[in-house]
Amino acid sequence: MSKTDGEMACRELVELVTDYLDGRLTVPERLRFEAHLAACSGCRAYLGQMRLTLGVLGRISERTISPEARERLLSVYRAWTAQHN
Ligand SMILES: [Zn+2]
């Protein structure tokens, strides 16, 4: 596998995805990244998944869930399981 200025490999995209989401790529890297995305549905799906995962983790670490909120979530969960059993 040779590294050229041309097409980016899926493996390379995977390695760069966190930098891309953090806005840390250089402009040429970013352009190649987006060019690959435009041509590769697998990597588009991967990026969507990563964005979702990192977004969720980021929110949780930013502010912890209050006891009231957790209690509410638990009651919703209990009501849901009661309905579906
Ligand atoms: Zn790809």
Side-chain angles (χ1 to χ4, degrees):
M1 189 180 287
S2 64
K3 196 169 179 178
T4 65
D5 288 337
E7 289 200 4
M8 180 179 277
C10 292
R11 215 174 100 183
E12 201 180 342
L13 186 139
V14 167
E15 284 168 9
L16 292 175
V17 74
T18 50
D19 286 343
Y20 175 77
L21 290 172
D22 287 346
R24 284 195 302 239
L25 291 184
T26 63
V27 171
E29 278 174 336
R30 193 188 168 88
L31 289 175
R32 285 177 66 218
F33 191 98
E34 286 172 349
H36 183 96
L37 278 181
C40 183
S41 62
C43 285
R44 278 202 299 277
Y46 177 76
L47 176 68
Q49 200 58 49
M50 283 301 286
R51 192 172 259 155
L52 211 66
T53 306
L54 293 174
V56 168
L57 290 178
R59 270 201 296 283
I60 287 172
S61 61
E62 264 171 35
R63 53 184 151 91
T64 46
I65 302 174
S66 68
E68 297 84 39
R70 186 164 40 207
E71 202 47 53
R72 223 172 12 246
L73 282 173
L74 275 173
S75 64
V76 167
Y77 175 74
R78 285 196 206 97
W80 190 90
T81 50
Q83 262 174 20
H84 290 81
N85 279 328

